Amino acid sequence: MEKHIQHTTTGHSTQSGSDKATSLSEVLAFPYRSYLYSYPHKTAYRELDPPLPLGPLWERENTDTYFLYMHIPFCAARCGFCNLFTLPDRREDTHERYVDALERQAKQWAPITSRRPYSRFAIGGGTPTLLNEVQLNRLFDIAEHVMGLDPAQASISVETSPDTVTEAKLAIMKERSVDRVSMGIQSFIEAEASAIYRPQKPQEVERALEKLTRYDFPLLNLDLIYGLPGQTVESWIYSLERVLAYEPGEIFIYPLYTRENTIVKPDDIRRQGPDIRMELYKAARETLKSKGYVQYSMRRFAKEQSSSKALLPYSCQEEGMVGLGCGARSYTSEVHYASKYGVSYKATQSIIADYVATERYDVADYGIVLSREEQRRRFILKALLHREGLTLSDYQQRFGTDVMSDYVWLAELLTKGMAELESDEVKQVLRLTEEGLGYSDAIGDWLISAEIREQMEGFVFS
């Protein structure tokens, strides 16, 4: 659940409003320069001086429901492509102290965020199922008995990994009304997994999948990565077909990204030869479409889902995100905040230690206050990079102006065939075409403001 932008210094600027220093053509020439999951990215966060008390901050939030997220920043090993906020640490006493701190934080936050019910609850990481059964169960107790989650009206998602799937943990998740289990597989080819420092054997993956399918969770999500060292179209489609054999309701396909702060370096990938990621993406897209999957974003392909729960609605804009745990981000319409961010083992370990030692969690002291400009950009990005598209009247209703006049360069998406403007009697929607969805990462990079880009490029990965 807790995903991040990975971004490289590009040396170009993006202007606000009607001016655009970089043409869309320049950006599309490099479709895998960066990727966007949240905006503004956490590398744009800074010390908030003075810190903001959480009570008044959440009292101003007008969304009808909230999203509750818990971040468990532990995993068995760091994969070669990973620069998420996670620490390889299997020690149960470390996990217990961390969950103690998370519960302490929850007890302080519950009175502040209890104004709205939770429509979604997700536990991500890291690998939450690395926790033992007692600590895993505690997370659900904290959500329900401290934060006030009603599992009968909230969608509940948990991330796992093949090596941590056990009968006991699956039974807990089933008992706690988990709707969606997400597991990263990345590849069924052992040599490809080894090339990204992922100690994973295909037999282990198959064993985990057999257990998961027996428990019949309402939604099984499986992740794969394309562009791995040594990967070919044939080996990529083989992994995809192995995933399809288990009939998951949702499949995410990710292009491989590497950075200087990851174990696998950009030069390691460049030495592999030509970049075939777009070819691999298109091959997967056609395969998934032929199997009845609908494309919802560059990465997400899914079949129609129904729920036995009476789920509360939740805005795709992800405002009202209540993030518990070290590394979790919280979003209000005006302020995004979190713990500090690091990637190296030493930095991550230090940040987690500070979190565990903290007694009070009642202020936001690290984050970003969103200007009106950044609120508009965020609204556009969160809508446009998904299949639903940007409804022009929604933007007008929220900001009081016309989006195509505010950002005249959005029309370039139309002239390049990356988007189309669909109209009916009720509304107009700016929606990426099939071609545009494949270039979502580049388009997202193009939409970042100059101010946020400058802050991101000033971040030092310690």
Side-chain angles (χ1 to χ4, degrees):
M1 173 70 205
E2 181 72 355
K3 308 289 188 183
H4 298 271
I5 302 172
Q6 295 192 27
H7 184 79
T8 53
T9 300
T10 59
H12 67 265
S13 62
T14 303
Q15 306 302 319
S16 302
S18 60
D19 297 326
K20 203 78 169 66
T22 305
S23 74
L24 183 59
S25 295
E26 290 177 79
V27 173
L28 295 178
F30 301 96
Y32 302 109
R33 182 159 46 192
S34 68
Y35 68 86
L36 178 69
Y37 277 110
S38 180
Y39 184 79
H41 182 234
K42 199 171 179 179
T43 53
Y45 292 10
R46 296 294 184 269
E47 298 277 357
L48 296 175
D49 187 18
L52 304 175
L54 296 187
L57 188 62
W58 284 95
E59 284 173 6
R60 297 196 296 269
E61 199 59 25
N62 294 320
T63 53
D64 294 329
T65 62
Y66 292 156
F67 191 130
L68 178 61
Y69 175 71
M70 291 181 181
H71 190 70
I72 307 302
F74 304 112
C75 56
R78 180 179 286 277
C79 296
F81 57 86
C82 179
N83 77 341
L84 303 182
F85 188 86
T86 183
L87 183 73
D89 195 332
R90 295 174 175 267
R91 294 173 297 175
E92 291 192 0
D93 58 336
T94 300
H95 299 169
E96 183 176 8
R97 286 194 296 271
Y98 180 84
V99 177
D100 288 344
L102 191 148
E103 183 171 11
R104 186 163 64 249
Q105 180 187 12
K107 287 178 178 177
Q108 294 174 29
W109 281 28
I112 296 170
T113 62
S114 60
R115 298 169 57 249
R116 300 284 186 269
Y118 297 103
S119 60
R120 302 290 186 271
F121 171 44
I123 309 174
T127 307
T129 49
L130 189 67
L131 301 183
N132 64 29
E133 290 83 358
V134 172
Q135 302 308 327
L136 181 62
N137 222 0
R138 279 185 69 192
L139 298 181
F140 293 101
D141 285 340
I142 293 167
E144 292 181 35
H145 306 318
V146 178
M147 298 302 291
L149 175 81
D150 181 353
Q153 61 180 9
S155 175
I156 303 174
S157 177
V158 178
E159 292 184 7
T160 189
S161 63
D163 59 310
T164 62
V165 170
T166 66
E167 297 283 352
K169 291 172 185 177
L170 292 176
I172 288 171
M173 291 192 286
K174 193 72 174 179
E175 182 182 350
R176 304 311 289 253
S177 301
V178 170
D179 308 82
R180 178 180 181 270
V181 177
S182 178
M183 186 167 75
I185 296 171
Q186 320 320 354
S187 175
F188 275 86
I189 307 294
E190 188 171 351
E192 293 177 1
S194 296
I196 53 171
Y197 297 84
R198 188 175 178 88
Q200 169 181 289
K201 295 187 179 297
Q203 305 93 291
E204 184 176 57
V205 177
E206 303 276 4
R207 176 197 62 80
L209 285 169
E210 287 165 7
K211 280 183 166 56
L212 278 167
T213 52
R214 282 203 304 273
Y215 273 81
D216 194 29
F217 289 95
L219 179 58
L220 174 61
N221 170 75
L222 301 176
D223 298 344
L224 291 172
I225 293 180
Y226 57 94
L228 301 175
Q231 193 173 58
T232 64
V233 174
E234 291 72 25
S235 69
W236 165 237
I237 295 300
Y238 170 79
S239 286
L240 184 59
E241 288 175 344
R242 291 307 307 139
V243 161
L244 288 166
Y246 290 91
E247 300 182 340
E250 188 176 64
I251 297 174
F252 274 71
I253 59 170
Y254 294 89
L256 177 67
Y257 279 87
T258 58
R259 296 293 179 252
E260 293 305 328
N261 53 286
T262 56
I263 298 172
V264 179
K265 306 299 183 187
D267 284 345
D268 297 334
I269 301 302
R270 283 191 283 268
R271 283 193 290 268
Q272 296 293 318
D275 185 349
I276 62 169
R277 281 176 291 184
M278 186 60 74
E279 181 183 358
L280 297 172
Y281 161 79
K282 290 181 177 179
R285 182 186 65 193
E286 296 310 309
T287 299
L288 289 165
K289 284 170 57 180
S290 72
K291 299 295 184 180
Y293 288 81
V294 176
Q295 183 171 14
Y296 288 91
S297 69
M298 178 179 165
R299 291 160 171 76
R300 180 175 178 253
F301 294 78
K303 293 189 174 180
E304 285 294 326
Q305 306 296 326
S306 60
S307 176
S308 59
K309 297 180 181 179
L311 296 177
L312 295 172
Y314 177 69
S315 167
C316 70
Q317 292 299 323
E318 292 183 6
E319 290 159 0
M321 170 80 82
V322 178
L324 295 174
C326 190
R329 287 177 280 188
S330 296
Y331 303 143
T332 71
S333 57
E334 298 176 357
V335 179
H336 293 186
Y337 64 94
S339 59
K340 290 184 178 179
Y341 179 51
V343 175
S344 72
Y345 183 94
K346 191 172 182 179
T348 307
Q349 186 181 48
S350 175
I351 293 167
I352 293 173
D354 288 345
Y355 170 80
V356 170
T358 297
E359 291 298 327
R360 299 299 307 173
Y361 304 90
D362 51 4
V363 296
D365 57 9
Y366 188 77
I368 186 169
V369 178
L370 276 66
S371 66
R372 190 73 169 170
E373 164 69 13
E374 299 307 345
Q375 291 179 42
R376 290 198 297 258
R377 295 248 182 188
R378 175 177 169 78
F379 190 91
I380 294 168
L381 278 158
K382 297 299 291 184
L384 190 58
L385 299 186
H386 294 83
R387 178 172 175 261
E388 292 79 3
L390 174 63
T391 301
L392 305 195
S393 58
D394 288 350
Y395 179 95
Q396 174 86 35
Q397 182 177 1
R398 178 156 181 162
F399 298 108
T401 54
D402 174 62
V403 66
M404 301 303 286
S405 298
D406 288 348
Y407 301 95
V408 295
W409 38 262
L410 283 173
E412 197 173 349
L413 290 168
L414 302 172
T415 60
K416 295 292 185 185
M418 295 291 114
E420 54 194 1
L421 194 58
E422 298 180 359
S423 304
D424 59 28
E425 295 177 357
V426 179
K427 62 185 180 183
Q428 283 188 305
V429 180
L430 182 66
R431 182 177 285 120
L432 294 184
T433 59
E434 184 174 78
E435 183 77 359
L437 283 173
Y439 283 88
S440 291
D441 286 355
I443 292 169
D445 183 59
W446 183 64
L447 290 169
I448 295 173
S449 75
E451 291 75 19
I452 293 298
R453 190 181 302 281
E454 183 178 354
Q455 287 178 268
M456 289 167 62
E457 292 176 350
F459 182 84
V460 177
F461 286 95
S462 55

